[in-house]
Amino acid sequence: MARYLPSLATACYRQNAYTRNCVIGITSRAFTSTPPSSSSGENNNNNNDVSSSLSTSKAPKSTLSTILQSEHLDSATRAIGQVIFLNDTNSGRVVLASLALGDPTLAACAALGSITSTSTSKFIGLDKQAWRGGLWGYNGALIGCAVSVFGPSSLPFIVLSTMVGAAATPVVSASLKSAVSMPQWTWSFNFVALTSLLRSRPLLNTASSSAESAVAIATPGFQDIALSPLTGISQIFVVNSHLTGAGIVAATYMYSPKLAWHAVGGSLTGCLVGIMSGADLADITNGLWGYNSALASMAVGTFFVHSRNTMILSATSAAASASLFGAMQAVFGIYGAPCLTLPFCTVASACYLLEGHIPGLKLAKEPHSPEKNG
C-alpha cells in the first residue's frame, strides 16, 4: 500500500520539468578585509592636491560605497558555493553557471535568494565575518531553488516567495547559533521551506497525473543509472541534470580535489543503497537517493581531520543518509511534501558529535577541506 503513497520522487519526476530535492554548506574559514591604502606623500607639482584635501569628506564616501558593493556581491556569490562547503567566490560562480545550464529560472531564483538573505543579515547587523564568508546567504539560495520547483507558477509570486523566505533564513540561523554548538547545516532552510510546503502540499497536486503517466515512462537504461551519481549531486540544488552535476563537481575540484571525491563517492553510495533497497529506478536515476548522501560525505570531509577513520565515517554517513531518506520520503509523501535535506542534517549532526567517542576521529580546528584539515 505504501507504494501508492505520493512521494517526492514520483510526484516531481513525472510532472514534466519539475526537478527535485535539495540541501547545506557551512565552513568556518576566517576572512579578512584590507582597506585601500591612502598615501600621504608630499605635493609633487599636483595642483589638485588642495582641492583633493578640501573634498576629503566626499571622496572616501564614494570609495567606501564601491568597496561595500563589491564585498556584498562577493558575499552573495560565495554563499552559493557555501551550500556545498566551498568558501570561494570563483567556485560559487561556477556553481551558479552550472545551475543555469540545467535550469536558468532556478539559477536566477538561487541568486535572488542569496542576495536577499545576505542583504537582510547585513541590514540587521549580524556577524560580519560570517557575512563575508557567505554563511548568512546559502540557506537563502536554497530557498530560491525550492521555490522555483515547488512554489507558485506565477513569476511575481515566485519572486515574492523567494525574497520573503530568504529574508527569514538569517533570522532563524541567528537563533540556532545561540541554541546549538555545532554547524547549522541547512536546518534554517528546512524550517522555512517546510513551513510553507507542508501547508501548500505541492506533491499532492501532481500525484494523480504522475500515476496516470507512469506507464508511458520508459525504463531507465544503463547510461541513466551510470550518470545517477552526478544527477544526485545536481539535486542538492533541486536540479535534475547530470551536466549540472558535472559542473558542480568541477567547481568542487577547483576548491578541493579530495572534497570532490567525497561528493561523487557519497552520491554513488546513496544510489547503491537505493538499488539494494529495491527503490524505484526512476527515483535513483533522477538523483533522489544521492543528494543527501553527497552532502553528508562532504560534511565529514570538511569538518574532520583527514584520516582512515574519517574516510570510513564519510562512507557510513552517506549510506545512513540514503537509508534515512528512504524512510522520510515515505512519511513526508503522506503529507504531500518533500523531505528536503532533513536526512543530511540529521546524519551530519550525529557524525559531528562522534568526536572523542571513536579513536582516529578528530574535528578540524579551522574546517576547510580534506587537504588543509591534515
Side-chain angles (χ1 to χ4, degrees):
M1 180 175 181
R3 186 177 181 83
Y4 297 96
L5 294 176
S7 67
L8 170 64
T10 56
C12 291
Y13 171 66
R14 292 161 185 170
Q15 183 66 14
N16 257 348
Y18 267 45
T19 50
R20 250 67 77 222
N21 244 311
C22 334
V23 217
I24 353 61
I26 184 170
T27 53
S28 56
R29 181 185 178 190
F31 289 88
T32 58
S33 175
T34 305
S37 58
S38 58
S39 60
S40 57
E42 299 177 358
N43 189 335
N44 293 320
N45 298 322
N46 188 343
N47 294 327
N48 291 328
D49 282 354
V50 175
S51 60
S52 175
S53 62
L54 293 176
S55 61
T56 52
S57 60
K58 184 176 180 180
K61 184 177 180 180
S62 176
T63 304
L64 179 60
S65 176
T66 303
I67 293 174
L68 289 177
Q69 290 176 5
S70 176
E71 281 189 342
H72 196 94
L73 182 61
D74 179 272
S75 177
T77 305
R78 197 182 297 270
I80 295 175
Q82 286 283 19
V83 172
I84 50 174
F85 311 99
L86 309 183
N87 195 351
D88 178 66
T89 305
N90 291 329
S91 294
R93 293 193 185 103
V94 175
V95 170
L96 185 60
S98 301
L99 298 183
L101 182 65
D103 189 336
T105 301
L106 181 142
C109 288
L112 176 62
S114 178
I115 291 172
T116 301
S117 53
T118 299
S119 301
T120 301
S121 64
K122 186 172 183 62
F123 179 76
I124 63 179
L126 295 180
D127 182 72
K128 191 171 183 179
Q129 181 174 315
W131 178 82
R132 287 196 185 112
L135 299 182
W136 298 118
Y138 70 92
N139 282 294
L142 288 173
I143 288 291
C145 295
V147 169
S148 175
V149 174
F150 301 112
S153 57
S154 173
L155 182 59
F157 284 104
I158 290 176
V159 172
L160 179 61
S161 298
T162 297
M163 294 184 70
V164 171
T169 57
V171 178
V172 176
S173 295
S175 300
L176 289 174
K177 186 177 181 180
S178 301
V180 298
S181 58
M182 67 174 67
Q184 297 177 34
W185 317 119
T186 49
W187 288 114
S188 175
F189 157 67
N190 283 289
F191 178 84
V192 174
L194 287 175
T195 298
S196 174
L197 294 180
L198 284 171
R199 181 178 182 278
S200 61
R201 309 173 79 183
L203 302 187
L204 291 182
N205 298 329
T206 60
S208 58
S209 60
S210 62
E212 293 171 0
S213 61
V215 178
I217 297 177
T219 302
F222 175 78
Q223 182 177 355
D224 298 319
I225 297 175
L227 293 173
S228 59
L230 290 178
T231 307
I233 292 173
S234 76
Q235 288 290 5
I236 294 174
F237 294 87
V238 209
V239 177
N240 182 17
S241 169
H242 65 271
L243 293 178
T244 294
I248 293 172
V249 171
T252 306
Y253 192 88
M254 288 169 51
Y255 181 77
S256 165
K258 288 183 179 179
L259 194 59
W261 283 110
H262 275 277
V264 175
S267 184
L268 175 60
T269 300
C271 293
L272 291 176
V273 170
I275 293 173
M276 291 186 293
S277 300
D280 192 327
L281 280 180
D283 296 355
I284 296 170
T285 56
N286 283 282
L288 298 185
W289 284 80
Y291 72 95
N292 276 292
S293 298
L295 283 170
S297 184
M298 293 178 78
V300 171
T302 299
F303 285 93
F304 282 88
V305 174
H306 184 70
S307 66
R308 184 185 67 176
N309 282 355
T310 299
M311 296 300 294
I312 295 174
L313 180 62
S314 176
T316 304
S317 67
S321 295
S323 299
L324 191 55
F325 166 78
M328 285 189 173
Q329 176 188 240
V331 174
F332 276 76
I334 298 175
Y335 299 99
C339 63
L340 302 180
T341 55
L342 285 176
F344 151 70
C345 290
T346 304
V347 172
S349 297
C351 290
Y352 193 85
L353 295 173
L354 286 176
E355 186 191 35
H357 297 282
I358 298 178
L361 283 181
K362 184 179 180 181
L363 289 170
K365 292 182 179 179
E366 295 184 4
H368 182 277
S369 62
E371 290 87 350
K372 292 194 175 183
N373 290 345

